[in-house]
Amino acid sequence: KEAENYYNKNKSNYLQVRASHILIKTVDDKGKQVSSSKKAELKKEAEEILKKAQAGEDFATLAKKYSEDSSAESGGDLGFFGKGQMVESFEKAAFALKKGEVSNKLVESDYGYHIIKKTDEKYQPFEEVKYNVKITDKYQMKAKE
């Protein structure tokens, strides 16, 4: 019962979003950043793709064609994720979008430029997280003692 109360009071902690993205990498195969001139070139390319996505072109088709990420073959779909599972700049942008919305600007991370589309959101059901909630609740109760 206590765990369920904690879950209900802190439900925003259990929000997950589903997003798709198109990644234009600014790192080479070894993870090293490309030159600043190459990066500027890649940014222009990413901005052109962003315009297409915002104009209503099919996001999955664009991802399959342009994204340099393993999610490209599934139309950029990254599935559901919660807070703390993605790099901060990406996560912040994905959570701020409305369902069905495409980011209005490029989101930069250490990997490159992302174009993000939020495709869904849900709260993890209590049954799925109750074990973790019980541990969190007990830990917080001890901290108050």
Side-chain angles (χ1 to χ4, degrees):
K1 191 79 184 147
E2 283 179 32
E4 202 164 353
N5 287 338
Y6 177 87
Y7 170 83
N8 288 325
K9 283 181 189 163
N10 298 280
K11 207 165 181 180
S12 64
N13 295 343
Y14 303 100
L15 179 66
Q16 293 185 315
V17 301
R18 184 174 193 164
S20 294
H21 80 145
I22 298 167
L23 172 66
I24 303 303
K25 287 184 178 178
T26 57
V27 292
D28 62 21
D29 293 338
K30 293 183 177 92
K32 190 175 183 304
Q33 286 289 324
V34 296
S35 69
S36 54
S37 60
K38 178 68 175 166
K39 191 172 178 180
E41 198 179 296
L42 293 168
K43 186 174 185 177
K44 273 187 183 166
E45 180 187 325
E47 285 171 341
E48 289 304 311
I49 300 164
L50 175 61
K51 284 178 191 168
K52 291 178 182 189
Q54 289 178 323
E57 282 193 40
D58 183 65
F59 197 89
T61 303
L62 290 171
K64 285 176 184 174
K65 186 174 181 180
Y66 298 108
S67 188
E68 300 173 305
D69 181 66
S70 59
S71 68
E73 60 194 42
S74 61
D77 184 23
L78 298 169
F80 280 99
F81 55 90
K83 291 191 173 166
Q85 291 183 280
M86 298 288 181
V87 293
E88 190 178 354
S89 59
F90 184 94
E91 177 184 297
K92 202 172 174 183
F95 273 83
L97 293 169
K98 292 180 179 79
K99 187 175 168 182
E101 187 178 26
V102 174
S103 52
N104 63 357
K105 62 182 186 202
L106 298 176
V107 176
E108 191 174 355
S109 76
D110 291 341
Y111 303 103
Y113 297 109
H114 303 264
I115 299 162
I116 305 169
K117 180 177 184 178
K118 183 176 186 176
T119 55
D120 205 356
E121 67 180 25
K122 69 175 183 177
Y123 288 95
Q124 286 179 282
F126 175 69
E127 286 304 311
E128 211 175 271
V129 297
K130 75 178 172 186
Y131 178 74
N132 290 344
V133 171
K134 285 178 183 177
I135 290 171
T136 303
D137 193 33
K138 278 183 182 169
Y139 177 78
Q140 289 185 340
M141 293 302 247
K142 282 214 180 296
K144 288 179 184 173
E145 290 175 3

